[in-house]
């Protein structure tokens, strides 16, 4: 229902060309469809939005991103802004703000929701490093999948690792960040935007700018 409502809203301005369900599928779709903009949820399953965006950018360098998230977190926003001209919009913002963010990034400009503008963004690089310090991309993948409740064997299969390697990563992370239980691990992942508590489906909608606006920009959107 949420995906269809979003599709109906976007199709007033853009042509929706597809829907995918997780961060890994987003990367494949980005390479295949070459959208100009990807609108994505930070807390996507299998691979969080920030990591998925970084990987998609290496394969499609000119791609732009608008992050749609429920997390009012300056560290998270700063980490997103490390990707260049991006949008960062809170989920409870009005739909017109999402369209405004898309328009900004299409013109090569960053857009940060006004609800967060009071922060001192001069220190954004420091915040970005704080957000991801001490965890490698692989460790973030392991944390996310375990926090999503996936069994060790499934995580190992998805990441092409042995179960012992996954277990090693888990214990290392729990030791470094002083996590005492699986519940602590879930809260840790939530605070870093690796998983979402949003009950809405994790969906990504790819879209292209409609002819009614006389533009040809293609957008890929994840909610």
């Amino acid at each position: 229902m949420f995906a269809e409502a979003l599709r109906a809203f976007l199709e007033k301005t853009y042509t929706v060309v597809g829907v995918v369900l997780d961060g890994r599928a987003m990367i494949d779709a980005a390479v295949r469809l070459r959208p100009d903009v990807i609108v994505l949820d930070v807390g996507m399953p299998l691979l969080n939005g920030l990591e998925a965006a970084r990987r998609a950018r290496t394969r499609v360098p000119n791609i732009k991103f608008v992050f749609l998230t429920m997390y009012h977190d300056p560290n998270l926003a700063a980490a997103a802004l490390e990707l260049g001209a991006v949008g960062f919009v809170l989920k409870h913002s009005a739909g017109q703000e999402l369209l405004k963010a898309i328009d900004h990034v299409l013109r090569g400009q960053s857009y940060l929701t006004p609800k967060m503008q009071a922060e001192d963004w001069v220190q954004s690089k420091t915040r970005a490093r704080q957000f991801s310090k001490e965890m490698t991309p692989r460790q973030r993948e392991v944390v996310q999948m375990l926090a999503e409740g996936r069994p060790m064997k499934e995580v190992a299969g998805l990441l092409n690792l042995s179960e012992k390697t996954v277990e090693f990563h888990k214990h290392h992370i729990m030791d470094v960040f002083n996590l005492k239980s699986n519940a602590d691990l879930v809260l840790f992942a939530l605070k870093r935007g690796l998983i979402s508590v949003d009950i809405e489906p994790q969906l990504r909608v790819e879209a292209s700018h409609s002819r009614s606006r006389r533009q040809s920009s293609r957008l890929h959107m994840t909610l």
Side-chain angles (χ1 to χ4, degrees), residues 29-202:
V31 173
R32 175 170 48 88
L33 296 169
R34 302 275 168 166
D36 294 307
V37 179
I38 298 180
V39 179
L40 65 165
D41 191 343
V42 172
M44 293 186 293
L46 290 181
L47 189 65
N48 69 84
L50 283 175
E51 192 63 38
R54 292 187 188 106
R55 297 187 188 186
R57 173 67 63 77
T58 64
R59 300 178 68 180
V60 190
N62 294 327
I63 206 164
K64 298 179 176 65
F65 301 96
V66 173
F67 291 91
L68 189 61
T69 180
M70 61 183 293
Y71 301 104
H72 191 289
D73 185 339
N75 290 345
L76 183 58
L81 290 170
E82 287 282 285
L83 289 166
V86 304
F88 192 88
V89 180
L90 299 179
K91 278 192 173 181
H92 59 262
S93 300
Q96 291 302 315
E97 186 178 345
L98 175 58
L99 296 181
K100 186 176 181 180
I102 294 170
D103 185 61
H104 271 65
V105 299
L106 283 172
R107 290 186 278 116
Q109 302 171 353
S110 290
Y111 179 87
L112 181 68
T113 179
K115 295 178 176 64
M116 301 185 73
Q117 291 286 13
E119 301 292 339
D120 177 13
W121 294 105
V122 174
Q123 300 299 324
S124 65
K125 290 187 182 296
T126 301
R127 289 196 175 100
R129 288 193 295 269
Q130 176 69 23
F131 179 82
S132 60
K133 72 174 184 177
E134 297 186 59
M135 273 206 300
T136 66
R138 176 65 80 198
Q139 289 170 338
R140 288 195 293 270
E141 286 181 313
V142 170
V143 168
Q144 175 175 346
M145 291 186 184
L146 291 175
E148 289 173 351
R150 300 178 187 276
M152 197 85 68
K153 184 176 181 179
E154 180 183 356
V155 175
L158 287 167
L159 298 180
N160 292 318
L161 301 172
S162 69
E163 289 185 56
K164 288 185 177 180
T165 300
V166 174
E167 187 173 4
F168 170 80
H169 282 307
K170 176 184 178 181
H171 287 308
H172 174 75
I173 292 162
M174 294 186 75
D175 181 58
V176 168
F177 291 95
N178 196 30
L179 308 176
K180 303 300 184 184
S181 65
N182 288 338
D184 288 344
L185 187 70
V186 172
L187 290 174
F188 176 80
L190 280 170
K191 289 177 181 179
R192 281 156 179 78
L194 300 179
I195 61 173
S196 174
V197 296
D198 197 341
I199 61 173
E200 298 164 347
Q202 305 287 346

